[in-house]
């Protein structure tokens, strides 16, 4: 059996694991990442693409912000379309000058991967049967199989950055963890295409046929979503069917100017709200999707992963460089305070913008009243904008 020793073993090479590895490396700490998939597979996943300023700043701090600053699109606002009429939410004006940066999560991941390989740091891709144990002792360990060879990695700490279906949260005894979950009766069907975006800003549309979102990756690449029943199969959606349905849900101007083309990717994602508490178990720390999931409305998933990683990297650096465990001790509570506020916002925006046909009529009336209120109230729009650009760290 091959053995390795490191200070911080990171499970998962998604944005959370890679960003943590990069921030720790910059502080002179040693990490090893184990990842179940290949690097190509990790880069083939299409996820959201709206970065809060705090997330973009953290990419700069990690020394990987160059391409993001050059290619990312600063968005000062977005639109809510209701009943075929668009209303602009002016983020810059409503949120004290703050804006968001449109830059795909896939590109964030690519930049972090390039930096990690340029620095010659160890990432074990295609690691099979990853298991962790001993995190309740001073010598946590992982075992896995890499290219047929069994490996043991010992560390001071394990960072569980292995997403919702990962092994780390699942390794915690059931009695030590509390789970909170809400599953929505619909999903998002997403389509990526090399076509110019239908509008300069994102459009979140409420429509009797269901919610839709017009987003983008660049001036020449668009990302669109449709609310669909969670039982829907992507094979049943030809590109033409997708474009027709999107057009039917857009306001007349957007429908008229929509440029369509062949899909580069199409997939259905379920909508879920989920939180695991606490986020620390001895020497195991969960971060990102391993600890919490938000529905994609509002694009908080990656931004929450980034704020966890900020807290965790600071805490680990304090431990090694200043001999203080205060940050590690407060990690879970600090993260969860921010996590629950983003859970609330993502649930609220999801509830506001989607069709809930199976809910009582009373619910639909409340939703209509809430939409009316948001579109007419400066105070409500400020609250929306404040959350959308990201609550303070
Ligand atoms: N062993 C090793 N790696 C694993 C295991 C395992 N048992 N299980 C999962 N992984 C890997 C996955 O293959 C994936 O690459 O962990 C990584 C987790 O990455 P993400 O799912 O992208 O999660 P995270 O890094 O927390 O990023 C959060 O991603 O899902 C979106 O909406 C979410 O935008 C948010 C962001
Ligand atoms: C995306 O571009 O994929 C995206 C943007 C905003 C969201 C969700 C997804 O709220």
């Amino acid at each position: 059996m091959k053995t390795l020793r490191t200070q911080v073993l990171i499970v998962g090479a998604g944005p959370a694991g890679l960003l943590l590895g990069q921030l720790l490396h910059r502080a002179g700490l040693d990490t090893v990442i184990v990842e179940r998939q290949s690097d190509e597979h990790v880069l083939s996943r299409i996820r959201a693409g709206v970065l809060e300023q705090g997330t973009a700043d953290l990419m700069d701090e990690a020394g990987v912000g160059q391409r993001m600053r050059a290619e990312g699109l600063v968005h000062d606002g977005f639109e809510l379309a209701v009943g075929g009429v668009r209303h602009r939410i002016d983020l810059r004006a409503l949120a004290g000058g703050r804006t968001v940066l449109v830059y795909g999560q896939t590109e964030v991941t690519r930049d972090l991967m390039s930096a990690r390989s340029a620095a010659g740091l160890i990432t074990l891709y295609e690691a099979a049967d990853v298991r962790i144990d001993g995190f309740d002792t001073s010598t946590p360990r992982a075992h896995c199989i890499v290219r047929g060879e069994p490996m043991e990695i010992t560390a001071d700490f394990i960072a569980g950055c292995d997403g919702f279906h990962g092994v780390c949260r699942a390794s915690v005894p059931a009695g030590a963890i509390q789970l909170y979950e809400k599953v929505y009766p619909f999903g998002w069907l997403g389509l990526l295409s090399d076509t110019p975006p239908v509008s300069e800003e994102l459009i979140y549309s409420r429509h009797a046929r269901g919610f839709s979102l017009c987003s983008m990756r660049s001036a020449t690449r668009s990302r669109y979503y449709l609310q669909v029943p969670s039982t829907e199969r992507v094979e049943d959606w030809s590109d033409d069917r997708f474009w027709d349905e999107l057009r039917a849900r857009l306001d007349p101007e957007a429908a008229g100017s929509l440029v369509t083309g062949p899909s580069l990717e199409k997939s259905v994602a379920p909508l879920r709200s989920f939180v695991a508490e606490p986020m620390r178990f001895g020497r195991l720390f969960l971060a990102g999707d391993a600890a919490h999931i938000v529905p994609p409305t509002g694009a908080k998933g990656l931004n929450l992963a980034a704020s966890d990683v900020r807290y965790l990297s600071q805490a680990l650096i304090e431990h090694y460089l200043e001999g203080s465990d205060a940050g590690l001790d407060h990690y879970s509570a600090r993260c969860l305070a921010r996590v629950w506020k983003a859970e609330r916002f993502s649930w609220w925006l999801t509830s506001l913008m989607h069709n809930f046909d199976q809910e009582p009529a009373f619910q639909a009336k409340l939703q209509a009243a809430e939409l009316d209120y948001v579109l007419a109230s400066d105070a409500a729009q400020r609250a929306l904008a404040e959350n959308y650009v990201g609550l303070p760290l």
Side-chain angles (χ1 to χ4, degrees), residues 291-315:
H292 40 74
I293 296 286
V294 288
T297 333
K300 289 291 164 225
L302 172 61
N303 293 297
L304 271 188
S307 57
D308 291 352
V309 162
R310 168 182 291 260
Y311 294 140
L312 185 54
S313 60
Q314 282 173 351

Side-chain angles (χ1 to χ4, degrees), residues 47-50 188 202 204 213 215-217 223 225 296-299:
R47 301 265 175 81
V50 178
W188 278 17
L202 273 59
Y204 293 80
L213 170 61
S215 183
M216 66 192 71
R217 293 291 174 267
R223 180 71 168 163
Y225 296 98
T297 333

Side-chain angles (χ1 to χ4, degrees), residues 137-351:
T137 72
S138 56
T139 51
R141 276 183 312 258
H143 291 92
C144 59
I145 298 171
V146 180
R147 278 182 238 96
E149 187 169 16
M151 290 197 67
E152 179 182 78
I153 307 157
T154 54
D156 299 333
F157 298 100
I158 299 180
C161 302
D162 49 349
F164 182 65
H165 299 287
V167 68
C168 290
R169 192 184 69 248
S171 304
V172 174
I177 191 165
Q178 182 121 25
L179 308 178
Y180 301 87
E181 182 165 42
K182 176 178 172 62
V183 177
Y184 300 81
F186 43 76
W188 278 17
L189 171 65
L191 180 148
L192 186 73
S193 62
D194 273 332
T195 53
V198 68
S199 177
E200 282 195 356
E201 295 184 336
L202 273 59
I203 309 174
Y204 293 80
S205 299
R206 173 76 180 84
H207 191 278
R209 299 180 69 95
F211 168 80
S212 66
L213 170 61
C214 303
S215 183
M216 66 192 71
R217 293 291 174 267
S218 70
T220 56
R221 182 168 286 190
S222 300
R223 180 71 168 163
Y224 297 104
Y225 296 98
L226 297 172
Q227 174 188 358
V228 294
S230 31
T231 47
E232 210 70 13
R233 293 168 352 129
V234 69
E235 302 80 52
D236 296 332
W237 285 83
S238 64
D239 289 357
D240 283 344
R241 183 178 174 204
F242 184 99
W243 293 120
D244 288 345
E245 184 60 32
L246 178 62
R247 235 182 256 108
R249 296 184 189 189
L250 294 179
D251 62 277
E253 190 205 325
S257 56
L258 180 70
V259 179
T260 65
S263 62
L264 303 170
E265 193 261 5
K266 222 165 25 200
S267 53
V268 180
L271 263 66
R272 182 194 304 272
S273 299
F274 172 87
V275 181
E277 291 192 3
M279 288 170 60
R280 177 207 184 155
F281 309 88
R283 287 174 172 256
L284 169 65
F285 294 82
L286 302 180
D289 277 18
H292 40 74
I293 296 286
V294 288
T297 333
K300 289 291 164 225
L302 172 61
N303 293 297
L304 271 188
S307 57
D308 291 352
V309 162
R310 168 182 291 260
Y311 294 140
L312 185 54
S313 60
Q314 282 173 351
L316 289 166
I317 292 167
E318 270 169 39
H319 169 85
Y320 284 105
L321 273 53
E322 295 163 25
S324 163
D325 281 351
L328 293 175
D329 292 341
H330 293 129
Y331 172 72
S332 181
R334 277 174 98 188
C335 289
L336 286 167
R338 196 166 193 281
V339 164
W340 276 110
K341 291 188 191 89
E343 290 285 345
R344 186 208 66 82
F345 174 67
S346 306
W347 159 82
W348 174 79
L349 194 56
T350 301
S351 309

